[in-house]
Amino acid sequence: STVFPFFADPSNLDLLTPPWLRFRILTPVPIAMEVGSLIDYRLRLHGIPIRWRTEITAFDPPYRFVDRQVRGPYHEWIHEHAFEEVDGHTIIIDNVRYAVPGGRIVQRFFVKRDLEKIFDYRHARIAERFPAPIPAPSGHGV
């Protein structure tokens, strides 16, 4: 499958990130993906410049990898990227655990909406790059 290698290459992150975030990787490429790798980014959210450093805390090709924010806007951000092969196709599973400054109010009225828009964009780009197969019709025609 070409899905895991695509996601495990940090230089592809900008293809999955909405342009309004003005996302840029600051770490020189190529970046070796392995446990302990550090990757620095910069982006803008609502016009506010944000610097973000992530550490790869698990790397188990072709099944999963995990990145954890070590510097950035969240109190906690842990993103597990999991890949499951089913009937010759790859299912992509994103599990994100995060905590924000300002607690539930900030999360509910600001962060949740932003993350939904960002992940909606990401899912649309993934669907374009890795289109799902059209299932064969079942049953018999009349």
Side-chain angles (χ1 to χ4, degrees), residues 100-120:
V100 297
R104 288 183 180 259
I105 292 173
V106 170
Q107 192 278 336
R108 181 174 178 200
F109 291 106
F110 299 102
V111 176
K112 182 179 180 196
R113 190 173 305 131
D114 288 339
L115 288 178
E116 286 171 352
K117 287 178 15 184
I118 291 166
F119 274 91
D120 285 349

Side-chain angles (χ1 to χ4, degrees), residues 8 10 27-28 30-41 53-59 65-70:
T27 303
I31 299 166
M33 281 290 280
E34 58 192 17
V35 172
S37 292
L38 296 173
I39 306 166
D40 290 310
Y41 321 106
R53 173 175 280 172
T54 193
E55 177 184 13
I56 304 303
T57 59
F59 191 68
F65 66 94
V66 178
D67 62 84
R68 177 180 67 88
Q69 173 202 281
V70 293

Side-chain angles (χ1 to χ4, degrees), residues 1-141:
S1 169
T2 60
V3 175
F4 185 89
F6 175 83
F7 281 86
D9 181 350
S11 65
N12 290 324
L13 268 172
D14 63 335
L15 300 174
L16 301 174
T17 304
W20 65 83
L21 290 177
R22 295 172 54 190
F23 175 86
R24 296 289 174 261
I25 295 176
L26 302 175
T27 303
V29 293
I31 299 166
M33 281 290 280
E34 58 192 17
V35 172
S37 292
L38 296 173
I39 306 166
D40 290 310
Y41 321 106
R42 103 174 157 233
L43 56 104
R44 284 188 170 276
L45 189 57
H46 302 288
I48 300 167
I50 297 170
R51 287 191 174 256
W52 185 305
R53 173 175 280 172
T54 193
E55 177 184 13
I56 304 303
T57 59
F59 191 68
D60 185 21
Y63 306 107
R64 70 189 275 272
F65 66 94
V66 178
D67 62 84
R68 177 180 67 88
Q69 173 202 281
V70 293
R71 184 178 73 215
Y74 293 89
H75 284 312
E76 176 181 64
W77 175 276
I78 299 171
H79 185 175
E80 177 187 30
H81 309 256
F83 306 86
E84 184 178 328
E85 292 292 325
V86 177
D87 298 328
H89 305 288
T90 304
I91 297 172
I92 303 165
I93 304 159
D94 287 307
N95 291 307
V96 179
R97 186 173 76 210
Y98 68 94
V100 297
R104 288 183 180 259
I105 292 173
V106 170
Q107 192 278 336
R108 181 174 178 200
F109 291 106
F110 299 102
V111 176
K112 182 179 180 196
R113 190 173 305 131
D114 288 339
L115 288 178
E116 286 171 352
K117 287 178 15 184
I118 291 166
F119 274 91
D120 285 349
Y121 181 92
R122 175 184 173 91
H123 293 153
R125 299 298 75 77
I126 291 168
E128 290 171 359
R129 183 155 189 98
F130 302 104
I134 299 171
S138 60
H140 301 295

